[in-house]
Amino acid sequence: MGKDNFKVELCKNSIIHNFNYIKQSANKDIISVVKANAYGHGLKEVVNILVEAGCRYFAVARESEAIELLSLNIKNIKIVVFETIEDLSLLKKHPNLEMCINSLSELEDMLFQNISFSQLHLKFDFGFARNGFTENEISRIKSIILKNNIHFKGAMTHFFSSTFKEMIDIQKKFIESINFIGRNRFQIIHSQNSAASISGLGEGSTHIRCGISLLGMLDSGIENHNIKRSWSLSGPIYNIKEFSDLDFIGYKRKEDIDTQSFSRVAKIKIGYGDGFSKRNTNLLCHINEKEFPIVHISMDTSFVLIDNSVQLGDKLEIYRDFSKCNALLNMEHYEYTTLLNNRIPRIIIE
């Protein structure tokens, strides 16, 4: 890590607490979703923490993420990929690798390719417009399954809806579809997202499937004080200048920036080259328990208006208050944490 660089700190104890709390509350094993670099928290770091907690089942979205996870050489774990794998030889090479079948043509192709169905999950779509079979295809799917006497590793869907009633409706349709096809055709059944898991949904499922809640983040409108935040983004102030010495702040003329009542500007080593986009302009950050505005963002550096209480080397924290940041950015927290790339190191703390 370079001098004065920003870093993401992950609290290992919080992630382990969240894993144990959700598992014990549901009394089911967890499939931990670690797609998109574990929502920006760091795939390698988060997976190793969850393995220490006792997790043995992980889910990712893409083939490339599965390859990265396999490269960690962690023994006795299973990995399910939500999207279609192009290189099907990976399934034959890695018996712990599994894949979702997302369409009728994929199901027929798996039969043709002679892929073991003990590594395949059937995915149902009840209106998400994402991957999976639709309701009007289920009879055709059942016919193929019975004709070829197929037994799958699993069946899955996704509770995408924001309302409790809609999630209950999807849960009901999903279990009815499983029973119509034949429950004995599936070793495991998983349907939840984090919101559904925290809300106690998942009747008929054998496993809990969740991601952001393990990391201490919950969807807007969902509250659970037993879930502990695990993530912070911070770094030191490495330069301070007086407005009287400046014509520009970054690439913008000083007079084009609302400097409010401030007379000094601090520089920090984070910018859009790190995945910290210009959309964060005017976001409030925290220094010594006070809030200050970020007024300009360049590729490697951002600029913060400060008062005389701030000194060189003071710690500056970004995204401390997820609720305020969500409102300003019009984004969920897991959207902007995921944007942060690997130029920012992930550091595990207790």
Side-chain angles (χ1 to χ4, degrees):
M1 187 172 73
K3 178 176 170 55
D4 298 327
N5 279 9
F6 265 61
K7 61 186 176 182
V8 167
E9 289 187 335
L10 299 176
C11 180
K12 179 174 75 171
N13 290 339
S14 292
I15 294 174
I16 291 175
H17 162 84
N18 294 337
F19 176 84
N20 289 331
Y21 168 74
I22 295 170
K23 182 177 180 179
Q24 290 166 10
S25 297
N27 195 28
K28 296 176 182 177
D29 286 333
I30 292 177
I31 299 175
S32 297
V33 182
V34 290
K35 62 182 180 176
N37 198 27
Y39 301 91
H41 289 55
L43 178 70
K44 178 179 70 174
E45 292 80 6
V46 169
V47 167
N48 279 305
I49 291 171
L50 289 170
V51 167
E52 182 178 336
C55 184
R56 291 296 178 267
Y57 222 139
F58 295 91
V60 293
R62 302 273 170 84
E63 178 177 336
S64 59
E65 296 171 330
I67 292 171
E68 184 179 357
L69 189 42
L70 287 167
S71 73
L72 299 180
N73 294 315
I74 300 173
K75 296 181 178 178
N76 301 319
I77 65 168
K78 296 176 182 177
I79 305 163
V80 57
V81 184
F82 293 147
E83 296 180 2
T84 308
I85 293 174
E86 182 177 24
D87 182 5
L88 294 175
S89 68
L90 287 169
L91 290 168
K92 296 180 179 180
K93 183 178 178 181
H94 300 283
N96 64 325
L97 184 62
E98 302 167 3
M99 186 189 85
C100 291
I101 300 176
N102 293 292
S103 69
L104 182 59
S105 61
E106 284 182 16
L107 176 58
E108 293 170 336
D109 189 46
M110 293 304 106
L111 285 165
F112 178 77
Q113 297 282 353
N114 197 29
I115 301 297
S116 172
F117 281 86
S118 64
Q119 291 175 265
L120 301 177
H121 299 240
L122 205 59
K123 185 171 184 180
F124 297 81
D125 174 22
F126 295 101
F128 197 17
R130 206 151 78 171
N131 298 329
F133 300 97
T134 59
E135 288 182 82
N136 59 13
E137 294 177 305
I138 292 176
S139 292
R140 173 63 177 148
I141 296 299
K142 179 178 180 178
S143 176
I144 294 173
I145 291 171
L146 294 180
K147 179 181 177 181
N148 293 278
N149 193 27
I150 301 172
H151 289 79
F152 296 89
K153 175 65 180 188
M156 68 168 290
T157 192
H158 186 70
F159 290 166
F160 60 89
S161 302
S162 58
T163 71
F164 191 76
K165 180 182 182 301
E166 287 172 328
M167 288 192 287
I168 290 176
D169 289 342
I170 294 169
Q171 176 178 271
K172 182 174 181 291
K173 290 179 181 179
F174 178 53
I175 297 305
E176 286 175 349
S177 300
I178 295 297
N179 291 335
F180 174 71
I181 292 172
R183 195 179 184 94
N184 64 321
R185 298 282 174 178
F186 307 96
Q187 291 183 41
I188 70 171
I189 298 168
H190 49 110
S191 55
Q192 297 90 330
N193 55 10
S194 283
S197 300
I198 294 300
S199 301
L201 296 177
E203 182 180 351
S205 297
T206 62
H207 288 62
I208 292 285
R209 193 184 72 244
C210 53
I212 61 171
S213 56
L214 297 171
L215 304 170
M217 299 191 294
L218 297 174
D219 291 285
S220 297
I222 304 293
E223 291 188 10
N224 187 310
H225 297 297
N226 290 299
I227 296 296
K228 296 183 178 180
R229 178 169 170 165
S230 67
W231 184 96
S232 66
L233 172 64
S234 65
I237 291 170
Y238 80 94
N239 184 278
I240 295 175
K241 290 187 177 178
E242 303 290 332
F243 285 171
S244 58
D245 298 328
L246 304 173
D247 294 318
F248 287 79
I249 295 178
Y251 291 96
K252 295 193 71 172
R253 290 190 176 275
K254 183 173 61 176
E255 57 266 27
D256 293 335
I257 293 176
D258 181 8
T259 56
Q260 303 173 42
S261 60
F262 296 99
S263 61
R264 308 167 81 213
V265 63
K267 290 197 287 186
I268 54 175
K269 289 187 177 180
I270 187 171
Y272 61 79
D274 303 290
F276 185 67
S277 83
K278 289 192 173 188
R279 192 169 181 171
N280 291 283
T281 303
N282 297 320
L283 188 77
L284 295 176
C285 58
H286 287 79
I287 310 169
N288 302 326
E289 303 304 320
K290 295 174 67 176
E291 293 182 331
F292 297 94
I294 298 171
V295 292
H296 184 68
I297 299 169
S298 60
M299 181 175 286
D300 306 304
T301 307
S302 294
F303 299 80
V304 183
L305 301 181
I306 58 170
D307 61 23
N308 289 327
S309 70
V310 177
Q311 304 298 318
L312 280 176
D314 282 353
K315 177 181 176 181
L316 182 150
E317 185 176 355
I318 300 173
Y319 301 141
R320 177 186 286 187
D321 188 327
F322 278 150
S323 296
K324 286 185 178 180
C325 295
N326 292 358
L328 176 70
L329 299 173
N330 193 27
M331 300 170 72
E332 292 288 340
H333 38 30
Y334 51 80
E335 296 179 47
Y336 47 81
T337 63
T338 299
L339 293 176
L340 298 173
N341 61 40
N342 286 330
R343 289 215 315 183
I344 299 178
R346 275 64 172 175
I347 307 298
I348 297 174
I349 61 174
E350 294 295 322

